[in-house]
Amino acid sequence: MEFSVATLLSHFTGDKLVAPKVLEKKLGCEEEESLEKLQIVLDALEKIGILVKERGKYRRVHEEDVVEAKLRCSSKGFCFAIQDEEQAEDIYIRESHLSNAWNGDRVLVRITKEGSRRRSPEGEVRLILERANPSVLARIKHANNGFQAVPLDDRLLFELKLEPNNENLEKAIDHLAHVEVLRYPIGQYPPLGKVARILGSDAEEAADTDIVCCKHDLRRVFPENVLKAADALPQDLLTTALKQRLDLRHLLTITFINDYTSAAQPTPIVENALTLEKTTTGHWQLGIHLTDVVSYILPTEPIDQEAKKRGTSVYLGDTVLPLLPNAVIHRCSLVPGEDRLAISVLITLDDNAQVIEFEIEPTVIQVKHQLSYQQTQSLLENQQQVNPEMASVVEMLNHLFFTLAQGVRTQRLARGGFEITQVQENNLPYQLEDEGRLGTIVVSSLPVRPLLSELMILANQVVGSHLQALFVPGIYCIQKAPDPDALQDLIKLANNLGLPLQLEQEEEVRSSDYLRFTQMFASSKAARVLNYLLQSTLKSVSYSTTSGTHFGLALSKSYTHCVAPLRRYADILVQRILHEIFEQGRDRRSTRTRESVNLRHSSCHGNITWNVLPPDVSEELEAQLSSAISHLNDREKVAHDAEADLDGLKKAELMKERIGETFQGLITGVQSYGFFVEIEEFLVEGLVHVSSLKDDWYEFRARHSCLVGRKNRTAYRLGDRVDVEVKSVDYYRQQIDLVTKSAGSAATNEDMEEF
């Protein structure tokens, strides 16, 4: 079993002593070789003072001047250690104090010099916790009677000595290769690597998905032991598995899928299903049923360990890098006519979609109908032509979407939640049913899709509120508000286009600001670009063990992710917490207490004054979640960056074919060195460098966000439309150079005042 120092240390909380046997079990060390490696690491950590050994057990030594951080380096050789806490200062680290750490590595940093108002604190790397680059994208070259690999990423300040293998390295000189790191630098010994695959003579010859997978070290295949474990999953439901479960197989149960198919993902991923019943009190009981993955995947087993490493599914065009093997997806997906274990969120709502009560139950369900989004839309639009056999389905769809989902949407908009109009088609076949990585609902050409998202988000809210009300360890999904400074250029751009954008409060961004902005954008000819730029200002969605606000949904607390357990590991963790409540939750203060509460029902909220979970179970859950949070956030960022990288490469490829062509664009950013133009037709951004403006000497006016010509009084300002020619394209760096083919706008007297 492979493990990092970061994973090992995550099992040490407070001053608690931990036995080696406990670590062996938690880290999955079973073979002799892995046990030896664990002992070597423990001895090393003890020697350098990170751990202390007492009575055969180990305890973490916490140092006040040492912090955990992630390295971000520059091509110049200096680095900054970025702490996880958002307000924490970045720590400057000189190249001589890196201790062989590389860009992206997670490290422990000792602060050697406190910061001041003008200078960042300084530090040195105390320990490398986790390597971020087990492989690199590099060029092959001759060196010292052998071969070396030079990383394409100029922030990786090293070259790897290459070990001979089956690849003919002589013929691969100057070619692009995927290089695996066999040994990181130790003392005077340089890093050692081997060529895993020759990708092409240059970046443009290599497949874009290969470049992205190598660059971000994405796992394309599952290890053999994981595939064997997946194939060994039971195919039939055992009678014992149905005990203590609510049987809902009689209900009209519907799932929704895409029409999209892919060779890379032959098994459709169907994680949730819906039911709807009228209660005896005249209310609606909405059932949102989530496939019960946890009943098949146990902690620390190969499938679970691999899923944790991946963190989330990644979608690169037609290439899918799934969280779980196809055999698991096939076993757990909710397919018509098959009995499936589920965790059901049963929500009672009135006709205005106000939640009255809810319960969360382990169930067994059977899907009766599976509809694509296109089929669903067609059924709702052509109700008079519906087959009588589908009449009950259409009736249910009407109530689901037009009564409940619309009602939930109205509530979200009323509290300031917003939605962004879809600006491009990429990755839509894989869009998650809730708000996903973007953090807000995307309105697409199929109205039923965002309406379904409203119901999935409601399920996330309900489960999150339940975890918090029971005071059990939880994993919550948060999204912080954008920085006001990040919006200034967009506000100026919109103002220059005649839209009176402004924040309600200058020093604070609210969800309601974005709601107003998107409503204003709808009337603009540049709506597509404005929505695209607004989307880019949103902060990443992240996970935390404490509840927090979610900006995109305008929620103040208690929101989690639970509806995608086949595609997000965080959702699997939430299922594990629910199972612990089902199986070990204590419904009363003590065994002598007569009065009890229903831990599965919202009626227990506010009535719990005891620890619901046994102390040992609660501590174990807290340790699992704490160790997973940082890793899951990193994996979400990697997935987002990889998907954005592929999108950037495709745009660069598209524009390389159009070198010499002229397009109209919108100036979306102005700096002293030039201005950025968004080509509206393709949503591609390029730079017009100031050196290419030969007709005059241009100076930057920061206050007005424009470049102004001294003699000709021509200005290039935010919001100006200009004709630009594609001059050159750097495919790998995704940099597009443009030259103007038309002038900007006339400078005002205010623009000229500073001359």
Side-chain angles (χ1 to χ4, degrees):
M1 173 64 197
E2 296 178 6
F3 61 89
S4 66
V5 176
T7 305
L8 171 63
L9 292 180
S10 70
H11 295 291
F12 291 88
T13 56
D15 291 328
K16 189 176 178 181
L17 286 167
V18 182
K21 288 289 184 185
V22 173
L23 293 171
E24 291 169 12
K25 182 180 179 182
K26 289 184 176 181
L27 295 171
C29 297
E30 299 175 353
E31 299 176 358
E32 190 65 31
E33 183 180 356
S34 61
L35 292 172
E36 288 179 6
K37 286 182 178 179
L38 174 59
Q39 192 57 55
I40 290 170
V41 174
L42 290 172
D43 291 343
L45 292 174
E46 182 188 3
K47 189 171 183 178
I48 63 176
I50 301 295
L51 297 179
V52 64
K53 192 174 183 180
E54 299 174 4
R55 302 186 302 277
K57 296 181 180 181
Y58 293 90
R59 175 171 56 82
R60 175 82 182 269
V61 178
H62 294 280
E63 303 167 276
E64 288 186 6
D65 60 344
V66 173
V67 298
E68 185 173 331
K70 192 171 184 178
L71 281 184
R72 186 174 66 204
C73 299
S74 81
S75 58
K76 307 295 184 184
F78 60 84
C79 296
F80 282 92
I82 314 299
Q83 300 182 62
D84 291 335
E85 294 179 22
E86 191 165 333
Q87 302 301 322
E89 287 186 285
D90 298 342
I91 303 164
Y92 174 70
I93 301 179
R94 301 175 190 273
E95 187 175 6
S96 58
H97 292 159
L98 285 173
S99 301
N100 289 324
W102 295 346
N103 179 61
D105 289 349
R106 185 163 287 279
V107 294
L108 283 183
V109 174
R110 183 192 300 280
I111 298 173
T112 57
K113 188 175 182 181
E114 294 295 330
S116 62
R117 192 191 311 177
R118 295 185 178 182
R119 298 179 67 88
S120 298
E122 294 188 22
E124 61 184 10
V125 173
R126 171 101 161 85
L127 178 69
I128 299 171
L129 297 173
E130 194 164 32
R131 290 285 189 176
N133 299 279
S135 66
V136 295
L137 199 61
R139 287 198 181 281
I140 311 300
K141 75 171 190 178
H142 253 313
N144 302 325
N145 300 319
F147 300 92
Q148 286 188 311
V150 183
L152 257 64
D153 188 341
D154 56 12
R155 298 170 301 172
L156 299 176
L157 311 171
F158 59 87
E159 294 182 1
L160 296 104
K161 182 180 178 182
L162 289 177
E163 189 177 79
N165 61 358
N166 296 330
E167 297 285 353
N168 188 338
L169 298 183
E170 189 71 47
K171 292 184 177 180
I173 291 175
D174 291 331
H175 279 55
L176 194 63
H178 181 203
V179 178
E180 294 178 0
V181 180
L182 300 177
R183 182 192 68 207
Y184 293 97
I186 303 174
Q188 73 272 27
Y189 297 102
L192 182 67
K194 73 171 183 179
V195 173
R197 186 180 175 192
I198 304 295
L199 301 178
S201 59
D202 55 31
E204 292 175 56
E205 185 182 296
D208 49 16
T209 50
D210 288 343
I211 290 175
V212 171
C213 288
C214 295
K215 183 177 176 181
H216 298 280
D217 195 53
L218 298 174
R219 303 165 80 94
R220 304 186 77 163
V221 296
F222 287 93
E224 193 61 36
N225 66 328
V226 174
L227 294 174
K228 285 183 179 178
D231 290 336
L233 291 178
Q235 296 303 305
D236 299 316
L237 290 184
L238 301 176
T239 305
T240 53
L242 303 183
K243 289 183 178 180
Q244 308 301 319
R245 283 184 176 265
L246 187 62
D247 192 340
L248 301 179
R249 287 175 286 187
H250 62 285
L251 295 179
L252 174 58
T253 307
I254 300 176
T255 59
F256 302 91
I257 63 167
N258 283 291
D259 284 333
Y260 184 87
T261 58
S262 167
Q265 187 66 70
T267 306
I269 295 180
V270 189
E271 300 160 295
N272 36 69
L274 297 177
T275 56
L276 188 64
E277 291 184 289
K278 200 75 171 176
T279 68
T280 54
T281 57
H283 295 130
W284 297 104
Q285 186 177 74
L286 169 67
I288 301 173
H289 311 279
L290 318 172
T291 182
D292 189 349
V293 177
V294 167
S295 289
Y296 296 96
I297 301 176
L298 300 178
T300 74
E301 291 194 350
I303 299 174
D304 179 72
Q305 292 295 326
E306 180 67 15
K308 183 178 179 181
K309 284 180 184 176
R310 292 177 176 235
T312 183
S313 297
V314 185
Y315 302 105
L316 304 174
D318 289 334
T319 300
V320 183
L321 307 180
L323 177 73
L324 298 163
N326 273 325
V328 179
I329 294 170
H330 176 76
R331 182 65 195 91
C332 295
S333 277
L334 306 178
V335 296
E338 298 284 341
D339 292 347
R340 288 289 187 264
L341 301 181
I343 293 177
S344 297
V345 183
L346 306 172
I347 310 171
T348 302
L349 306 105
D350 62 20
D351 285 334
N352 295 318
Q354 293 285 344
V355 176
I356 297 171
E357 61 182 5
F358 65 81
E359 60 182 311
I360 304 170
E361 296 278 358
T363 61
V364 56
I365 66 170
Q366 186 183 101
V367 173
K368 302 299 191 289
H369 296 277
Q370 182 170 280
L371 303 173
S372 71
Y373 296 120
Q374 290 82 358
Q375 283 177 305
T376 305
Q377 195 71 47
S378 178
L379 285 171
L380 292 171
E381 291 174 355
N382 303 286
Q383 297 190 28
Q384 303 303 319
Q385 305 168 25
V386 169
N387 186 311
E389 294 179 2
M390 293 293 288
S392 59
V393 173
V394 173
E395 182 183 6
M396 177 177 163
L397 293 177
N398 272 308
H399 292 307
L400 271 176
F401 291 111
F402 299 134
T403 302
L404 299 182
Q406 286 285 12
V408 173
R409 177 177 181 268
T410 299
Q411 293 172 39
R412 179 176 58 79
L413 295 176
R415 65 175 183 258
F418 59 93
E419 52 203 22
I420 290 182
T421 302
Q422 175 188 321
V423 292
Q424 50 189 5
E425 296 291 334
N426 61 316
N427 289 342
L428 271 184
Y430 308 110
Q431 186 180 331
L432 288 159
E433 275 69 31
D434 53 24
E435 86 285 5
R437 291 194 191 102
L438 182 59
T440 189
I441 288 179
V442 177
V443 179
S444 67
S445 56
L446 290 170
V448 295
R449 184 158 195 160
L451 287 174
L452 179 63
S453 295
E454 301 284 0
L455 301 179
M456 296 300 113
I457 289 168
L458 180 62
N460 287 337
Q461 286 179 252
V462 162
V463 172
S465 68
H466 198 57
L467 296 181
Q468 190 160 48
L470 268 58
F471 305 105
V472 297
I475 181 168
Y476 298 97
C477 183
I478 61 178
Q479 185 184 34
K480 295 187 180 298
D483 298 321
D485 291 346
L487 276 170
Q488 291 311 307
D489 274 358
L490 179 59
I491 290 173
K492 286 181 182 177
L493 169 60
N495 292 164
N496 290 348
L497 291 172
L499 300 176
L501 256 64
Q502 63 179 18
L503 298 175
E504 289 178 4
Q505 294 188 2
E506 287 186 10
E507 297 180 359
E508 180 185 359
V509 183
R510 299 179 176 181
S511 303
S512 55
D513 289 321
Y514 274 56
L515 176 60
R516 284 188 296 103
F517 292 175
T518 54
Q519 290 170 343
M520 288 184 190
F521 292 167
S523 63
S524 172
K525 293 180 180 178
R528 192 160 169 259
V529 172
L530 290 170
N531 275 297
Y532 182 63
L533 295 175
L534 185 71
Q535 180 178 314
S536 69
T537 65
L538 291 172
K539 286 194 175 181
S540 299
V541 175
S542 61
Y543 294 111
S544 173
T545 53
T546 56
S547 176
T549 59
H550 192 296
F551 180 79
L553 301 177
L555 293 170
S556 59
K557 60 179 181 178
S558 309
Y559 185 73
T560 192
H561 275 163
C562 66
V563 299
L566 293 175
R567 290 184 281 180
R568 289 186 302 224
Y569 190 74
D571 299 50
I572 292 177
L573 290 177
V574 170
Q575 283 200 356
R576 288 222 169 98
I577 299 167
L578 292 174
H579 269 281
E580 293 292 1
I581 295 168
F582 296 153
E583 296 160 16
Q584 301 200 59
R586 301 190 294 196
D587 63 358
R588 62 197 74 197
R589 176 178 286 279
S590 69
T591 54
R592 292 172 293 179
T593 306
R594 289 186 178 182
E595 292 184 3
S596 64
V597 299
N598 183 353
L599 293 176
R600 302 176 184 184
H601 197 279
S602 56
S603 60
C604 72
H605 293 193
N607 296 317
I608 295 173
T609 57
W610 59 91
N611 293 327
V612 168
L613 294 176
D616 58 331
V617 174
S618 185
E619 286 179 14
E620 180 64 25
L621 271 178
E622 284 180 0
Q624 285 181 23
L625 298 179
S626 296
S627 69
I629 289 295
S630 179
H631 171 72
L632 289 180
N633 286 332
D634 284 346
R635 295 312 301 169
E636 286 289 342
K637 186 177 187 309
V638 167
H640 174 272
D641 290 349
E643 291 165 2
D645 229 354
L646 181 71
D647 187 46
L649 288 175
K650 289 190 177 300
K651 287 181 177 179
E653 183 180 15
L654 175 71
M655 299 316 292
K656 196 166 184 72
E657 295 172 356
R658 287 165 168 76
I659 288 177
E661 294 184 28
T662 299
F663 301 93
Q664 187 178 80
L666 194 69
I667 296 179
T668 56
V670 184
Q671 298 294 333
S672 59
Y673 52 82
F675 55 88
F676 294 93
V677 176
E678 195 79 35
I679 297 175
E680 297 174 81
E681 184 179 350
F682 305 116
L683 287 179
V684 170
E685 184 182 77
L687 173 67
V688 176
H689 198 275
V690 69
S691 63
S692 71
L693 302 174
K694 306 292 188 182
D695 61 327
D696 201 350
W697 179 268
Y698 286 84
E699 292 193 357
F700 179 50
R701 296 287 176 264
R703 191 157 55 95
H704 300 139
S705 297
C706 66
L707 285 170
V708 181
R710 281 189 171 190
K711 296 178 181 178
N712 61 19
R713 297 177 65 93
T714 296
Y716 292 98
R717 69 178 71 250
L718 285 174
D720 282 352
R721 277 193 164 81
V722 291
D723 293 332
V724 289
E725 179 187 312
V726 182
K727 180 183 177 184
S728 64
V729 176
D730 185 324
Y731 174 73
Y732 178 70
R733 289 182 172 81
Q734 303 165 29
Q735 294 174 352
I736 300 166
D737 289 329
L738 307 171
V739 292
T740 57
K741 303 300 285 185
S742 65
S745 56
T748 65
N749 290 332
E750 287 184 355
D751 295 332
M752 302 300 294
E753 279 178 3
E754 297 178 43
F755 284 116

